[in-house]
Amino acid sequence: NAGVMQNPRHLVRRRGQEARLRCSPMKGHSHVYWYRQLPEEGLKFMVYLQKENIIDESGMPKERFSAEFPKEGPSILRIQQVVRGDSAAYFCASSLGTENTEAFFGQGTRLTVV
Amino acid sequence: SQKIEQNSEALNIQEGKTATLTCNYTNYSPAYLQWYRQDPGRGPVFLLLIRENEKEKRKERLKVTFDTTLKQSLFHITASQPADSATYLCALGTSGTYKYIFGTGTRLKVLA
């Protein structure tokens, strides 16, 4: 089992460009979560998805950010027109989607906006 | 407002001693609480889960307590080793949703 795979590991974008972050959950997991982490800070919840559905996006900024988890393929976190403040580590996690089970995290994508 | 607070200051302890980390929460009614370890540049790794009806959970040198009256969890590492140095995160899960909300984390450094 390869675990949760995120790519790319590092992404550099100029201000105004789009960033696409990919996450393949663990085999058998149908629940995906995205978190943002700034240096020296904790994980901030962004969005929780199941296949083809957004369950909770209460942590997503209202503009420029979107997420999807299609029937086939990885989950995508998309940031349009990036700004310097979007620079952070973005972590994806997956779980079985039952209570009392842990989340398995990927290694993260480090986004740098220049 | 809802808050999950962990010691913001780094915790330095001597090798062999017991490290105790605190997780306090307000305006949550968690069904369970989890602890994760995060090393620099890596994703968090699950350590332990404790349910609201459990007082204590152990795994090897790790022990977690959960006091829903005090709204607090304590995480203990006994016989600490330099390899235990990392940031430790607590996460709450509420009933009916499978969302995990994380605290800010505490950095632990075990000195040889």
Side-chain angles (χ1 to χ4, degrees), chain A residues 1-6 23-27 29 92-95 103-107:
Chain A
N1 193 330
V4 178
M5 303 300 291
Q6 288 189 251
C23 170
S24 296
M26 281 184 71
K27 191 175 180 181
H29 286 189
C92 166
S94 73
S95 78
F104 292 82
F105 280 82
Q107 295 306 314

Side-chain angles (χ1 to χ4, degrees), chain A:
Chain A
N1 193 330
V4 178
M5 303 300 291
Q6 288 189 251
N7 66 80
R9 289 293 309 275
H10 300 274
L11 182 62
V12 179
R13 284 287 177 264
R14 295 187 184 278
R15 279 179 296 170
Q17 290 184 319
E18 177 180 287
R20 279 185 179 240
L21 288 63
R22 293 175 185 76
C23 170
S24 296
M26 281 184 71
K27 191 175 180 181
H29 286 189
S30 59
H31 294 240
V32 164
Y33 313 80
W34 285 94
Y35 293 85
R36 177 162 64 178
Q37 188 172 41
L38 293 169
E40 308 301 321
E41 293 189 13
L43 292 163
K44 299 291 187 190
F45 169 80
M46 298 182 74
V47 63
Y48 161 37
L49 311 103
Q50 292 180 33
K51 285 281 186 182
E52 300 185 276
N53 286 306
I54 296 174
I55 306 302
D56 186 330
E57 56 182 348
S58 57
M60 288 275 272
K62 293 285 184 270
E63 297 176 349
R64 302 189 297 109
F65 285 71
S66 63
E68 63 177 13
F69 188 15
K71 188 177 180 182
E72 301 291 337
S75 174
I76 306 285
L77 179 68
R78 184 181 175 208
I79 310 172
Q80 295 178 289
Q81 299 176 321
V82 296
V83 301
R84 288 233 170 95
D86 296 332
S87 296
Y90 292 84
F91 287 96
C92 166
S94 73
S95 78
L96 286 170
T98 57
E99 288 191 6
N100 301 325
T101 57
E102 68 267 33
F104 292 82
F105 280 82
Q107 295 306 314
T109 293
R110 274 140 195 88
L111 172 66
T112 302
V113 179
V114 297

Side-chain angles (χ1 to χ4, degrees), chain A residues 102-103 105, chain B residues 34-37 44-47 87-89 91 102:
Chain A
E102 68 267 33
F105 280 82
Chain B
Q34 305 178 356
W35 284 87
Y36 289 77
R37 168 184 173 142
V45 174
F46 171 79
L47 296 174
T87 296
Y88 292 85
L89 302 160
F102 283 81

